[in-house]
Amino acid sequence: MTQLAYYPGCSLHSSSELYDVQCKMVFKNLGIELKEIDDWNCCGATAASKTDEFLAVALPARNLGLATATGLSEIVIPCSSCYSRTLVSQKTLAADPGLKDSINAELSQKIKGDIKVSSILEVLVPRARSGELAAKAVKKLEGLKPACYYGCLLTRFPIDVNVPDDVENPQGMETVLKALGATPVDWGYKTDCCGASASVNDADQSQLLMSRIFTDAVGRGANCLVTTCPLCQFNVDAYQDAVGKKYGIEKRLPVYFITELIGMSMGFDPIEMQVDRHFVDAMGLLKELNLL
């Protein structure tokens, strides 16, 4: 069995616990053991980068040291924000040896910079292309027409990094879901921002952004949204009803993590995967399409 270091981040141990459960189930079935790094800390997410540039680098740097200490060559980070902050920290330290030395001086587990930082899609896409993912499927996702929603963090970074997908029109989720029999729609808001944490302190602007996402997805014929980002998933799921009423959008779309749909294709119990925990009903469409 392949082992990968694993950083769940705060969301997957709290509001998006179901994503953590699903990741472990799906990866285990693919022959991948996720080894959660010991004593990890918050990466700082968006807060640290807005208030303290040093902390924005130092917080994820500590996790990189812990990941390196596992002896594994790759760490997978499902959360888009955590992935972005960790990759940016690694690249920043590689370009600034002095900063790296000053941070390392305070760490028991040193940053060496030689571990590969991967998003969940960087692990899944090659397995979709090789046929390995389809080989694990017991049912096809026929009738599923997802709008793949990447959000603004997965392909856009504040510094120059090697992005493993098209920045404006990424295709990673589409590649995975097509391999399992789904028919992703082509749409125009896949990398637009949902408002992120502004849904709390600037609800009007965040809901305006979400209204555009919903309007385009519905208009293109999608019957669900799919994402890899826990904050994106939470926003477009939890606020969809309020936004729909405010902007006259009648249709409601279930918002799945990509792991939920992979898990359904693998024949996993939807209750064990916690598919029933969504704000917008996520079970009805699966029943309608005979995927349960």
Side-chain angles (χ1 to χ4, degrees), residues 267-282:
F268 293 156
D269 181 352
I271 303 302
E272 187 179 353
M273 288 196 295
Q274 303 182 31
V275 182
D276 59 333
R277 288 186 55 195
H278 292 259
F279 288 91
V280 177
D281 173 42

Side-chain angles (χ1 to χ4, degrees), residues 40-218:
W40 57 264
N41 55 267
C42 175
C43 70
T46 54
S49 62
K50 299 296 184 185
T51 59
D52 191 314
E53 291 184 6
F54 177 79
L55 276 180
V57 175
L59 288 171
R62 179 178 179 273
N63 292 324
L64 283 168
L66 295 171
T68 300
T70 65
L72 299 171
S73 61
E74 183 176 2
I75 180 169
V76 59
I77 305 177
C79 171
S80 299
S81 182
C82 296
Y83 165 69
S84 175
R85 293 315 315 166
T86 305
L87 189 57
V88 167
S89 176
Q90 186 181 55
K91 297 294 183 181
T92 299
L93 294 173
D96 190 339
L99 178 60
K100 181 178 177 180
D101 289 343
S102 67
I103 292 175
N104 264 337
E106 303 297 327
L107 298 179
S108 57
Q109 302 293 350
K110 309 301 182 184
I111 313 145
K112 297 179 181 177
D114 54 357
I115 191 166
K116 175 175 168 51
V117 177
S118 295
S119 70
I120 188 171
L121 290 178
E122 286 178 81
V123 180
L124 291 173
V125 168
R127 288 164 172 82
R129 288 176 174 157
S130 70
E132 183 180 349
L133 198 59
K136 292 290 184 179
V138 298
K139 62 180 75 171
K140 290 188 175 182
L141 301 178
E142 293 177 345
L144 209 66
K145 297 181 286 184
C148 296
Y149 180 50
Y150 294 79
C152 59
L153 291 173
L154 196 59
T155 64
R156 296 194 183 108
F157 300 85
I159 63 173
D160 187 21
V161 302
N162 294 322
V163 181
D165 207 335
D166 188 287
V167 173
E168 297 296 336
N169 187 24
Q171 294 294 318
M173 277 193 276
E174 284 86 345
T175 298
V176 170
L177 293 171
K178 285 177 181 177
L180 298 174
T183 308
V185 301
D186 186 22
W187 69 309
Y189 282 78
K190 62 169 62 179
T191 60
D192 275 45
C193 182
C194 65
S197 55
S199 61
V200 176
N201 66 342
D202 192 354
D204 287 343
Q205 184 60 38
S206 179
Q207 290 185 11
L208 173 62
L209 294 174
M210 284 189 269
S211 74
R212 295 168 178 168
I213 292 166
F214 299 140
T215 298
D216 195 57
V218 170

